[in-house]
Amino acid sequence: MQTVIFRTAAPYLASLMVLFSVFVLLRGHNEPGGGFIGGLIAASAFAIYGIACGVAPVRRAMYFHPMAIAGFGLFLSAAAGLLSLAMGVPFLTGLWTKVYLPGVTIDLSSVMFFDFGVYFVVVGAITSIALALEEREED
Amino acid sequence: MAAETSVPVDTSAAFVLGVTSLIDWAVIAPVALPILGGALLLMVRHRTRLHAAVAFAVLAATFAACLVLLWRVMGEGTQVMTMGRWLPPYGITFQADMLGAAFATTATFATTAAAVFALRDINATGRRYGFYPFLLLMIAGVNGAFLTGDIFNLYVWFEVFVISSFGLLILGSERRQIDGAVKYAVLNLIATTVFLITTGYLYGVFGTLNMADIARKADGLRESGPLMTIATLYLLAFGMKAAAFPLNFWLPASYHTPRIVTSAMFGGLLTKVGVYALLRTFTTLFPVERAVLSDVIAVVAVLTMVLGVLGALAQTDIRRTIGFVVISGIGTMLAGLAIGSPLALSGTVLYAIHSILIMTALYLLAGLMREAGGSFSLHELGGLYRSHPLLAAMMLALMLAAAGLPPLSGLWPKVMLVKAAIEGQAWWLTGAILLSSVLTTIVLGRVFALSFWRPQQALATPADTRPIDPIAGYGTVLVLLVPAVWIGLWPEPFLRIAETAAAGLADPGSYIGSVFSAQGGS
C-alpha cells in the first residue's frame, strides 16, 4: 500500500484516531465508550500507520514494545483493584474522589484507572498482533 | 424464572456491609498476586535476568497466601469475598471452601517447585519468549478456577489458564510442538465452548450464575427445568477437560511435546482443574443428577483407568508413558465421583492432591533422566542405577506412590476408594481400581527396569548428557516428595482436610450459607 496519497494522509489520520480514542476512553465514564472500544480505535490507528509507512516507524513511534504496554495495562487494572485494600472494602470496589484545582474540579475514581488499564491492554495486545501480521507480509 | 428454593436463606443478611480486613484478602490474593507479577514481568520482558527471581518471589508470596487461606478455612469454615461490593447473587463471589483452598495450595506448591526446575530447563530465549509471565498467569487462572464461586467466572478462569498454556506449549516453536498445540487447542476450545453454551443455558433456566444461588434453586426447578440436560453437558465439557476416556486423545498427543517443566505443570495441574469442576458441579450444584448419571460416570471411570494404563504399556517415550499414567489417575478420581459417598469423595480429593504432587514430580524426574541419560526413549536409556543412584531412589519412590503402594501418598486415597466401592457394592469398580494399580506398577516397573537396571545402551547418536543440578534438579523433585511421604506416613492432617472438603461437598447447605448469611467481609 505504498501510494503517495495514503502515505501522506496516514500520519495525520493515525494521530487523529489516537486523539479520538482518548476522547472515547474518557467519555466511557458516563456515556457509551470506554477502555475497550478506545483501545481498539488506537490499535487501528497504529495498524493504519504500519500499513502505510511500514512496521519499523510504528515501533519507533510507540517507543515501548506493544506487549510491555499490554503488561502495564494489566498491572494498572489489578493495582486499581488493590486500592480498596487501604479503604477496608472488597477487591475492585469503586472508589471516588474529587481533586480541587484552581478553577477546575477533577473527578478521580479507581474505576477510571481500571478502564485506563483495559485501554492499554487492548492497545498493546491488538497492536502487537497487527504489527506481527504486517511484518510477515513484508518478507 | 422465579424458583422456589429448597434452602431458605435470609438474603437481606447479604446487604449488611462489614469492613474487609487485610486477612480477608487471603481469598483473592492467590489470584491477584500472580496476575500482578505476570503483568510486571510482561513489562520487563527483555530483562530476562530478573524473571526467575521475581517469579519465584511472587509464587512464594502466593503460596504463603494460600497457606493463610487454608488455615482460615480450617479454623472458621468457608471464606467469602464478593468483588466490588456488588452483593451476591449479582456480584462475582470468590468463595474458598476446603476443597478449593486445599487444591489451590497444592497447585501453587507444585508450580513453585516447577519454577525452580525451570531455572535450568528454560534458557534465555525461552524467558524472552515469556515463560515466566505465562507461568504466573497460568497459576492465576488455575487458582481462580479453584476459588471462584460463580460459574461464569469459572469459565473465565478456564480461558485464562488455557490461553497461558497455549503460550507455554509452543515455547520454542518447534514443528512437533505446533502440531501438538493445534490438537490441544482445538479440542480444548471445543470443551470450553460446550462449557460456555451450557452456562448460557443454565443462566436461561436459573437466572443466576452464582454457584451457591444455583445450588439453592436447583430443587425448585428440578420438576420444570432441564437440569438433567445441563448436568450431562457439563459432564461432557469437564470430562473432556479432565481427559476422561472417550475424549482424552488430546492429552497423549500434546503433553510430550513442550519443555519438560511445562509438561510437568500440565500433567500435575490442568487435568485436576477439570476434576475439580466435575466435583463442584456434580456435588454442590446437581447432586440428584449425579446419582442418576453415576453409572455413566462409573463406566467412563473404569474405561479411563484401564485403557489409560494399557496405553502407557505400549509407549517407549517416557513422557508419553507418564501422560497415560496421568489419564489413568483421572479415572481413579472419577470412580470416587461415581460412588458419591462421603468416603469416596474424600478419597477423590486426597487422590487429586496426591496426583498434583506425584505427576508433576514424575515429569520433572523424566527431565532429569533425560539430562543424565541423554534421551527420553526407553530404547536408548540404560545404566542409570549405577551412574545415578539418587535418581533411582526417587524413581522408585514415585513408582510406589503412583501405583498406590506403601509407604507413599498413593496408598491412602486408593484404600479409601476401594473401601467406598466395596461399601457401595460396586465390585467391578473395586476390581478396576485394583487392576489399574497393578498395571501401573508394571508400567513404571518397566520404565525402571529398562532405564535403570539394564546396562547402558550404545547410542546411535552421541548423548548430550549434563550433570544434574543439586537444587534445580534433585532439589525440586525431593521437595515435591516431602508432602508425598508425609501423606504416606502420617496421613491424619491430610485426611482431615479431605474429609472436611468431602463433607462440604456432600452438604451444599454450608456452601450456600457462607454466601448468603455469614458475609465474611463484604
Side-chain angles (χ1 to χ4, degrees), chain A residues 65 71-72 82 88 90-91 93, chain B residues 20 25 36 39 43 45 82 84-85:
Chain A
H65 192 278
F72 172 71
L82 284 182
F91 190 57
T93 305
Chain B
T20 311
W25 282 68
L36 280 169
M43 283 157 71
R45 205 159 61 105
T82 302
R85 279 198 169 177

Side-chain angles (χ1 to χ4, degrees), chain A residues 29-42:
Chain A
H29 196 62
N30 289 320
E31 283 168 280
F36 189 84
I37 185 72
L40 283 181
I41 294 170

Side-chain angles (χ1 to χ4, degrees), chain B residues 26 57 207 242 246 288 303 317 341 343 386 393 505:
Chain B
V288 178
L303 289 173
D317 186 313
S341 65
L343 180 65
R386 184 168 296 226
L505 286 174

